[in-house]
Amino acid sequence: MMPISSKPLAVAIMGPTASGKTAAALEIARQIPSEIISVDSALVYRGMNIGTAKPSAAERATVPHHLIDIIDPNESYSVMQFRQDALRLAAEISARGKLPLLVGGTMLYFKALQNGLDALPQADAAVRAQLDQEAARIGSPAMHAKLAALDPDTAARLKPNDAQRIQRALEVIALTGRPMSQLLAKAPKIELPFEILPIALEPSDRSVLHARIAARFDAMLDRSAGGLIDEVTALRARGDLHLGLPSMRCVGYRQVWEFLDGAYDRLTLREKGITATRQLAKRQLTWLRSMPERIVIDCLDPAPSTMILRRIAMMQEKTGRN
C-alpha cells in the first residue's frame, strides 16, 4: 500500500496567457470550497486591470482571491516575497478547511515556490541603477550579449529584449561573482509543507490560442469605456511612472505607452501588442515543458475544469484525503 501523506493538498493551475486558467479555477471553486492565490507578477499592481486581464470584482466577490492589488505600480515585488506570501496563504487557507488554488502564468513564481531561490541575493538598488544606465547606453541586445559571455546557460533561455530578466541575471553576477545558472543548480531541494497537484493548461492547437490572444487584445483596446489606452493614459498622468519600472514593462502596457509617445499608429500598436503577447505565451509554454511532473490538460477542451476536478478526486483518493 502507498503511504498516506499527512500534508494538505494544493492545486497549481498553470498555463500560457489566454488559456482559461481563471475560468477553470472559478468553476473548481464552485464545486470545492477553495481560495485562489494569484501566481501572476502583473496582477499584484493596483490600477492595472484591463491589460492584466484581472478577475472582475464580481468574480473576486464569489471566490476569495489573494495577491491581487497588493502594491502600487511604482513599487516592486520580488520572487522571494511571492514565495513567502504564497506559503503563508496556502497554510492559512488549508487551516480554514479550504483548497488552495495557485493560479497563474508567471512560471518563475511556480518554480521558486517548488524549488526555492534562497541561493540568489536580494535586489540591490545601486547595482540596478548602474545596469539601467548601461542598458540605456548600449541597449538590451548588447546587455544580452554581455550576459551570454558571463552566463551562457541563463542567456540561452532569455530573449535579447527581455530586459528585466537580463538585468536580474547580470545583477546576480555583480553581487555574487557567480552565474545565476550555477547558483540555481546548486540550490538545495525544498520540501513544501503541502502536496501540490501541478496542472498545466496547454493548447493542442497553438493557432487557436493565438486567435484567442488576438481577440482578447482587441477587446482590451476596443472597450467602449475605460479601455487599455485610457488605463495607460491615466497611469502616465500620475507623473511618477516610467518604462523602466517592472509594472510598465508588462505586456500590453509597454506597447500602449510607446503608442502614446507617438512611436507608432494604432494599427501597429495592435500588431505589436498581439506579437508581444504571443511571445509571452511561447515563453510560458517553454517553462512548462521544463516541468516533467506536470499533468497536461488541453485548454481547448470544452470543459477543462471537469478534467481538473477528476484529477483532484484521484489525488484525494490516492492520499486518503476526503
Side-chain angles (χ1 to χ4, degrees):
M1 293 181 64
M2 294 189 62
I4 296 176
S5 173
S6 60
K7 296 179 182 178
L9 177 65
V11 178
I13 302 177
M14 308 173 285
T17 185
S19 59
K21 299 180 293 296
T22 297
L26 290 170
E27 181 57 34
I28 290 164
R30 279 190 277 271
Q31 305 293 327
I32 301 174
S34 308
E35 296 186 29
I36 294 172
I37 301 172
S38 170
V39 188
D40 191 305
S41 60
L43 296 190
V44 298
Y45 298 112
R46 291 187 288 268
M48 294 173 58
N49 304 321
I50 298 168
T52 62
K54 192 172 290 181
S56 67
E59 289 170 334
R60 291 162 66 182
T62 302
V63 180
H65 285 66
H66 304 276
L67 301 187
I68 294 178
D69 290 344
I70 59 173
I71 62 171
D72 191 82
N74 66 5
E75 299 173 323
S76 61
Y77 185 69
S78 72
V79 178
M80 286 310 301
Q81 284 176 290
F82 163 77
R83 189 174 192 278
Q84 292 164 0
D85 287 342
L87 288 173
R88 172 182 54 80
L89 287 164
E92 292 171 356
I93 293 166
S94 295
R96 288 193 284 270
K98 295 184 179 181
L99 178 66
L101 299 176
L102 296 144
V103 183
T106 301
M107 301 307 160
L108 184 59
Y109 280 10
F110 280 115
K111 202 170 186 76
L113 181 62
Q114 291 186 279
N115 301 331
L117 286 175
D118 296 339
L120 299 184
Q122 292 292 316
D124 185 287
V127 172
R128 289 201 167 184
Q130 292 174 353
L131 290 169
D132 279 338
Q133 292 173 2
E134 186 177 2
R137 187 174 71 252
I138 67 175
S140 186
M143 295 293 280
H144 184 265
K146 177 180 177 179
L147 177 62
L150 298 170
D151 184 356
D153 289 341
T154 299
R157 64 176 180 79
L158 299 179
K159 298 292 185 183
N161 62 352
D162 194 349
Q164 184 176 354
R165 291 186 174 88
I166 292 169
Q167 180 199 60
R168 175 56 177 160
L170 289 170
E171 179 188 37
V172 168
I173 295 169
L175 292 172
T176 67
R178 298 166 66 191
M180 178 187 283
S181 57
Q182 184 183 105
L183 293 172
L184 292 178
K186 292 184 176 181
K189 180 66 177 176
I190 303 296
E191 177 138 358
L192 288 172
F194 49 80
E195 292 289 337
I196 192 163
L197 179 64
I199 303 292
L201 295 179
E202 301 179 24
S204 55
D205 184 344
R206 198 171 294 192
S207 67
V208 178
L209 180 68
H210 288 173
R212 283 188 183 182
I213 287 170
R216 188 166 76 167
F217 194 74
D218 284 339
M220 289 175 179
L221 292 179
D222 296 337
R223 287 172 63 159
S224 58
L228 181 56
I229 293 175
D230 290 339
E231 185 170 82
V232 179
T233 299
L235 291 166
R236 282 165 60 99
R238 289 175 34 154
D240 63 339
L241 303 178
H242 54 83
L243 283 179
L245 292 168
S247 60
M248 294 300 101
R249 289 200 293 262
C250 289
V251 168
Y253 289 87
R254 183 184 192 94
Q255 289 73 32
V256 173
W257 190 292
E258 292 170 342
F259 162 75
L260 292 171
D261 276 342
Y264 33 78
D265 59 23
R266 186 172 173 124
L267 179 60
T268 306
L269 162 62
R270 178 184 183 274
E271 293 171 354
K272 284 185 173 291
I274 292 172
T275 298
T277 311
R278 286 181 178 178
Q279 290 171 343
L280 170 62
K282 183 179 179 180
R283 292 195 299 272
Q284 291 168 319
L285 288 167
T286 299
W287 271 95
L288 284 168
R289 284 195 294 271
S290 72
M291 301 176 178
E293 72 281 3
R294 78 196 190 282
I295 298 166
V296 178
I297 290 176
D298 187 2
C299 68
L300 307 182
D301 186 276
S305 59
T306 301
M307 300 183 71
I308 298 174
L309 285 164
R310 190 175 304 150
R311 287 287 185 168
I312 294 172
M314 290 170 60
M315 183 73 166
Q316 290 172 330
E317 182 179 354
K318 177 181 176 181
T319 57
R321 298 182 183 90
N322 295 321

